[in-house]
Amino acid sequence: MSLVLDPTAQDLLFREARTANTFTDEPVTDEQVQAIYDLVKFGPTAFNQSPLRVVLVRSAEGRERLVQHMAEGNRPKTATAPLVAILAADNEFHEELPALLPHFPQAKDLFFSERPARESAAGLNAALQAAYFIIGVRAAGLAAGPMTGYDAAGIQKEFLDGDHTPLMVVNIGKPGEDAWFPRSPRLSFDEVVTTV
């Protein structure tokens, strides 16, 4: 059975999409970021909790503050990407549940009154939303460079607060010269899927 999605779109989103390590200086506009969000906000999360929060780092001052918390190998590309997004999980997402889940507003207190339950749910569902975000960046014709090599406590202190946990930093832009490392192997269908 073939996929319904056009092969060109399949290539754009998956087969030919790569993590860029260099970028051109072409800016990523607010309109592009808004379009990305307006697409990916429809991805499902449990209880429609939508815990992903995004900090866009555009300014030179903000970039300098961020780069100092990145792992050494991630610093040059983070310093030169046209836009960098810090993706974080909001551990107080439950405050939005009455608006996001109007048919079941009591879910806020029934399931998420305790901080550990919120942190677990926020981490999983914001990571799911982060994956949607990466696909959305690709749908905009841009390269996404997600990274987890950084000082999480430093980024949290510098850009977030105690209620937000950093998940990843994503460089965003048009790929530059020599942007790609060779593609690493992937597991086959039979190595991943078991039928019972």
Side-chain angles (χ1 to χ4, degrees), residues 128-193:
L128 184 60
Q129 287 186 284
Y132 302 145
F133 183 85
I134 292 165
I135 299 298
V137 169
R138 292 173 173 180
L142 301 168
M147 301 167 292
T148 56
Y150 53 77
D151 172 12
I155 286 180
Q156 184 175 37
K157 182 178 179 182
E158 191 82 34
F159 293 95
L160 303 167
D161 59 31
D163 290 331
H164 294 81
T165 304
L167 296 173
M168 67 182 67
V169 173
V170 183
N171 294 326
I172 303 170
K174 293 284 187 179
E177 189 174 336
D178 297 321
W180 319 121
F181 294 144
R183 187 181 289 283
S184 297
R186 298 300 194 266
L187 296 174
S188 72
F189 179 85
D190 292 335
E191 292 173 299
V192 173
V193 177

